[in-house]
Amino acid sequence: MGISNEDARLTKSYIFVAFVALFLGGLLGLLQGLNRAGMLELPTWLNYYKVLTAHGLLLVVVLTAFFTIGYFYAVMSHNLGGLLPKVRKIAWTGFGLKIIGFVLAVIPILMGDASVMYTFYPPMAAAPIFYIALVFIVLGVWACCIGGFINVANWRKNHKGQHVPILSYFATGVFVLLFFALLPVAVEVIVLIIPWSFGWVKTINVMLARTLFWAFGHTLVNIWYLTATSAWYVIVPKIMGGRRWSDTLTRVVIIALVVMNITGGFHHQIIDPGIAPAVKFLHVFMSLAIGFPSLMTAWAMFAIFERTARKQGGKGWIGWYKKMPWGDVRFLAPFIAMVAFIPAGAGGIAQSTNQLDQVVHNTMWIVGHFHLTLGMSVVMTFFGISYWLVPYISKRVLTPQINRLGVIQTWIWTVGMVLMSGAMHTVGLLGSPRRTSFTTYGDNATALSWNPYLLFLAIGGTLLVIGVILQVYAVINMMFFAPKGETEFPIAEPEEDGSTTPYWTERWGMWIVVMLLVVAMAYVIPITDFIVNAPPGSPPFKTW
C-alpha cells in the first residue's frame, strides 16, 4: 500500500493543473462578478462574454476533470497495488491531449472568436478551432477512462472473487459515467458542429444539438457529485476516527447513480419547444429518482457523524456534535460541502418542476444554483481532499499552520459563496436574466431594484477570490515547501457488525447493460423524432 514516485508525479501534475485553473478561473470570476454588479466596466478587448466563456471552461471543465482524474489515479495506485506501466502511459497521453485541447480552446476565446460560453449552444458559432479543441479534450478524458478500466480489470483478474476496494469502486463508477456521457457530446461536436462551423453544411439541427449536449452536461454534474461522495463515505469517517457505513449501501448508491444518471438530460430543456410532454415527464422522473441515493447518502453520513461522536463521548440530543473535529480542515471543508448540498439539491428539485422552471430557467437563479452545487458541494470537498492528498503524493505533511490557514480559507469561501449564491438566487426570483452583462434596461424600475442584491454578489465574489488565493497558496506549500514526511491515505473500514456485501455489486457488465437500456428508453424515440421530423436548420450566428 502506498504510491510510487512515478504514480505520484502523475497525480501531482494533474492536481497542479487543476489549481492553476482554479486561480485563473477565480480571477476571471471576480471580473465577471464586478461587471455583473455594475461596479466594473470591462474593456472591449476583454468583454463580459469572453470572460464568462473562459471562466466556465477553466472551472467547469479544467478544474473538475484534472482534479477528478488525478485523485482517482492516486486512489488506484494506493489500493490496487500501483498503476500498470501501460496505464501510466495512457494517463500521460490523456494529460497531453487535454492540455493541447485546452490551449487550442483558449486561443479563439482570447481572440474573441469563441464567446459561446461553456454550453456552446448552436446557433451561436465559434471558430472551428474551438470545437477541434473540444475533440482533443474528449479523447484525453476517454484515454484516462480506458486506463482506469485496464487497471481495475487487472486487479480483478489477480483477485478473483474479491470485492474491488471501495474507493476504486467509486473510480470505476465515475469512469463508466465519464466514458458513456462523452459519447453524445462527441457526436454533437464531430458530426454536427464541426462541419457546420467550417461551412461544409449550411444549417444545423439546433434541437438535436442541445439534446446531445445535455445528455452529457447533466451527467457531468453528477460525476462531480459522485467524486465528492467518495470522500464523504470513505475519507471523512476515517478523519473523524470512526468507521464508514454499510459497504453494501455504498456500492448500491454508486450503482444507482450510474444507472439513472444519463437519463435526466431533458430536465435542462423543460422550456424547449419540440419535446413531447411525456418525454419531459420521463426525464424529470429520472432526475428526481437520483434524489433517492442522495437521501441514502445523507442518512448514512449523519448516522456516521452521530455514532462516531457518541463513541468519543458526545452526549445529549444534539450535544454530540461538539465532539466532531471542527478544527481539522480535512473534515470541516467536506462537512460544509455536505450541508450545502441540502439547499442545492432542493433547488435542483424545484428546477425539475415544469411550473417552477418556467419562472427561473433563464434567470440568475440557475447561476446561483450552479455555484451552490459546484462551488460549495463539489469544490469545497475537493479542497478538503487536497489537504491530505497533496501531502500524500508529495511525501510531505500537513502542518498546523497550513491546517489553520485552511480553516480560515474554508470559512471565507463559505461566507463568500453564501453571499454570492444567495444574491444570485434572489435577483433571479426578481427577474434578473442570466448570461447577460450589467444593464439597467434604460433605468427600468425593476432592473434598478436588483442593484442592492448585486452588491452582495460583488462582495461574495471578492471573498471567493481571497479564498482562491489562500487555497492555491496552501496547495503550493504542501506540494513543494512543507516538511518532508509520511501522510496517511485515509480510508475508513466498514462497521464491524456490517452485513456481507453481495457479489452482484461487482457485475459491472450487467449494470452497464441496464444503464444503456435505460438510456435507450429515454433517448431513442425523441432523438429519432428530432432527426425524422427535423425542424428548419439554422445557419451559424456570431452574436458578439
Side-chain angles (χ1 to χ4, degrees):
M1 306 292 277
I3 189 166
S4 67
N5 290 333
E6 294 85 358
D7 294 353
R9 193 177 303 116
L10 175 68
T11 290
K12 190 184 294 186
S13 299
Y14 271 88
I15 299 298
F16 182 80
V17 171
F19 281 96
V20 169
L22 173 70
F23 181 74
L24 297 175
L27 293 180
L28 292 174
L30 176 62
L31 296 178
Q32 178 189 331
L34 293 176
N35 177 266
R36 191 65 174 80
M39 301 176 68
L40 175 68
E41 186 68 31
L42 290 171
T44 54
W45 58 268
L46 191 69
N47 63 55
Y48 178 83
Y49 301 100
K50 186 184 294 186
V51 169
L52 179 57
T53 302
H55 171 75
L57 183 72
L58 285 166
L59 297 186
V60 176
V61 180
V62 183
L63 167 63
T64 58
F66 275 86
F67 190 94
T68 296
I69 292 170
Y71 164 57
F72 279 125
Y73 266 81
V75 162
M76 293 188 297
S77 175
H78 175 73
N79 58 25
L80 297 184
L83 300 177
L84 298 172
K86 62 181 176 182
V87 169
R88 203 180 302 119
K89 290 178 182 177
I90 291 171
W92 278 117
T93 301
F95 182 89
L97 287 169
K98 290 194 291 291
I99 291 294
I100 291 170
F102 291 127
V103 170
L104 289 178
V106 165
I107 292 171
I109 292 173
L110 294 178
M111 293 177 65
D113 292 329
S115 295
V116 291
M117 293 170 278
Y118 152 70
T119 48
F120 56 88
Y121 285 156
M124 289 196 302
I129 189 67
F130 177 79
Y131 303 113
I132 293 171
L134 297 180
V135 174
F136 276 95
I137 294 169
V138 169
L139 291 175
V141 176
W142 266 340
C144 294
C145 293
I146 292 169
F149 297 149
I150 292 172
N151 222 82
V152 172
N154 178 76
W155 186 92
R156 293 186 63 180
K157 179 181 177 182
N158 296 321
H159 298 80
K160 291 187 181 298
Q162 296 183 32
H163 289 283
V164 173
I166 188 61
L167 277 180
S168 291
Y169 195 88
F170 269 103
T172 304
V174 165
F175 288 144
V176 167
L177 274 179
L178 263 177
F179 184 87
F180 286 99
L182 286 169
L183 287 170
V185 79
V187 171
E188 178 198 9
V189 171
I190 296 170
V191 178
L192 299 180
I193 295 183
I194 288 180
W196 173 69
S197 65
F198 272 110
W200 300 338
V201 295
K202 291 184 178 180
T203 62
I204 191 171
N205 187 327
V206 175
M207 196 75 246
L208 180 59
R210 286 171 64 92
T211 299
L212 291 172
F213 175 85
W214 279 117
F216 152 78
H218 166 75
T219 308
L220 183 62
V221 174
N222 287 291
I223 288 169
W224 307 329
Y225 167 59
L226 187 55
T227 304
T229 302
S230 71
W232 299 354
Y233 269 105
V234 183
I235 308 299
V236 172
K238 179 67 173 180
I239 290 170
M240 290 183 65
R243 290 176 173 266
R244 58 187 172 90
W245 199 252
S246 165
D247 186 74
T248 301
L249 179 142
T250 306
R251 294 174 195 260
V252 168
V253 165
I254 297 167
I255 292 169
L257 288 171
V258 168
V259 168
M260 295 190 293
N261 235 305
I262 298 177
T263 51
F266 276 122
H267 93 253
H268 291 266
Q269 298 174 260
I270 288 177
I271 67 169
D272 282 13
I275 305 173
V279 172
K280 292 180 180 179
F281 178 83
L282 172 64
H283 280 252
V284 166
F285 174 80
M286 295 304 297
S287 299
L288 296 178
I290 296 173
F292 287 100
S294 297
L295 290 172
M296 292 163 67
T297 298
W299 185 86
M301 292 313 304
F302 282 92
I304 290 170
F305 295 152
E306 182 175 0
R307 178 176 292 194
T308 304
R310 289 194 183 280
K311 285 182 178 179
Q312 296 172 356
K315 304 292 183 182
W317 284 97
I318 59 173
W320 52 266
Y321 78 91
K322 296 177 183 177
K323 291 294 182 178
M324 295 163 72
W326 301 111
D328 190 336
V329 66
R330 301 171 303 166
F331 168 81
L332 179 65
F335 179 84
I336 295 176
M338 292 180 216
V339 173
F341 194 69
I342 298 171
I349 291 172
Q351 289 148 218
S352 297
T353 306
N354 182 58
Q355 292 86 342
L356 296 179
D357 191 64
Q358 298 284 340
V359 176
V360 302
H361 186 82
N362 281 315
T363 74
M364 286 289 284
W365 167 283
I366 301 296
V367 186
H369 167 73
F370 191 71
H371 281 83
L372 199 57
T373 50
L374 176 59
M376 287 199 75
S377 294
V378 173
V379 170
M380 287 188 72
T381 302
F382 288 0
F383 289 170
I385 292 171
S386 72
Y387 283 100
W388 59 263
L389 178 61
V390 174
Y392 170 78
I393 59 176
S394 304
K395 305 289 195 294
R396 298 178 185 274
V397 296
L398 172 64
T399 63
Q401 293 80 10
I402 293 298
N403 179 72
R404 194 177 308 116
L405 178 68
V407 171
I408 294 169
Q409 187 275 344
T410 298
W411 286 115
I412 290 174
W413 189 272
T414 300
V415 173
M417 194 61 75
V418 167
L419 287 174
M420 188 177 77
S421 177
M424 289 174 169
H425 279 87
T426 304
V427 296
L429 290 176
L430 296 174
S432 180
R434 60 174 171 162
R435 298 194 178 108
T436 60
S437 59
F438 176 76
T439 176
T440 62
Y441 297 95
D443 288 338
N444 180 276
T446 299
L448 291 175
S449 73
W450 305 331
N451 288 347
Y453 302 101
L454 293 176
L455 174 64
F456 287 100
L457 185 155
I459 294 171
T462 304
L463 289 173
L464 287 172
V465 167
I466 295 172
V468 164
I469 293 170
L470 293 178
Q471 181 65 35
V472 172
Y473 169 79
V475 167
I476 297 300
N477 180 278
M478 292 184 292
M479 193 173 283
F480 300 109
F481 302 107
K484 290 282 188 179
E486 293 297 321
T487 293
E488 179 189 22
F489 197 117
I491 298 178
E493 296 295 327
E495 292 284 356
E496 293 177 336
D497 56 351
S499 60
T500 303
T501 303
Y503 197 73
W504 53 257
T505 57
E506 297 292 334
R507 309 289 186 191
W508 273 109
M510 177 180 69
W511 298 121
I512 289 172
V513 169
V514 173
M515 178 194 73
L516 293 176
L517 288 173
V518 174
V519 170
M521 177 182 69
Y523 277 103
V524 168
I525 292 175
I527 285 181
T528 301
D529 183 54
F530 295 155
I531 296 171
V532 174
N533 302 307
S538 174
F541 285 92
K542 186 175 181 180
T543 58
W544 63 93

